[in-house]
Amino acid sequence: MKTASLLKNLSFEDKKPAVQVLMETDSTKEIRIALKKGQVMKEHKTPYPIVVELFEGKISFGVNGEINHINKGDILSLEGNVPHDLLAEENSIIRLSLSKLDKVERVENVANSSS
């Protein structure tokens, strides 16, 4: 058994979204993204499907140019190669489930380029 917490050791960064790997399983990488109100993750794509859970906060989640308002507790899935972007309407905590084949560095690069 593996355990992790979306709240332990939580920190928000001033200049960019904070990305932390919480755990890896046989099939996924579970990542926490902490965004301060107003922070963005510019449009990007992932080569594999993802699942996004908004644990806390409110996010404007753009998909192919259409804005979706995601609220605390909402979960969404997105196929690979679909352009999407995020804007934190409030301080927000996201749980991102990546394919084991995907790279955490890709997520970190998106967060770093959005500052």
Side-chain angles (χ1 to χ4, degrees):
M1 180 174 91
K2 295 181 180 183
T3 63
S5 172
L6 288 166
L7 297 175
K8 283 185 183 172
N9 302 315
L10 175 65
S11 65
F12 291 86
E13 295 187 24
D14 288 331
K15 299 191 186 291
K16 62 182 177 139
V19 176
Q20 180 181 6
V21 178
L22 297 175
M23 77 168 56
E24 291 193 32
T25 70
D26 289 342
S27 58
T28 67
K29 296 175 184 172
E30 303 299 326
I31 297 170
R32 176 180 61 205
I33 303 173
L35 297 105
K36 279 189 168 183
K37 181 179 179 177
Q39 286 182 334
V40 300
M41 293 185 78
K42 293 179 182 174
E43 187 175 79
H44 58 284
K45 296 188 271 187
T46 172
Y48 305 98
I50 60 171
V51 175
V52 176
E53 173 191 355
L54 186 56
F55 179 76
E56 188 68 55
K58 185 175 181 178
I59 298 283
S60 291
F61 194 94
V63 178
N64 287 322
E66 181 180 326
I67 302 298
N68 302 274
H69 298 285
I70 310 302
N71 296 297
K72 177 180 178 175
D74 290 347
I75 300 173
L76 64 93
S77 66
L78 201 60
E79 293 301 316
N81 295 310
V82 175
H84 58 283
D85 60 86
L86 295 81
L87 167 64
E89 301 289 345
E90 302 174 356
N91 286 355
S92 299
I93 302 168
I94 295 170
R95 175 183 163 202
L96 172 64
S97 297
L98 294 180
S99 164
K100 185 77 165 180
L101 302 173
D102 206 343
K103 297 191 180 326
V104 174
E105 294 80 12
R106 182 189 57 73
V107 179
E108 293 170 336
N109 289 339
V110 172
N112 290 336
S113 70
S114 295
S115 56

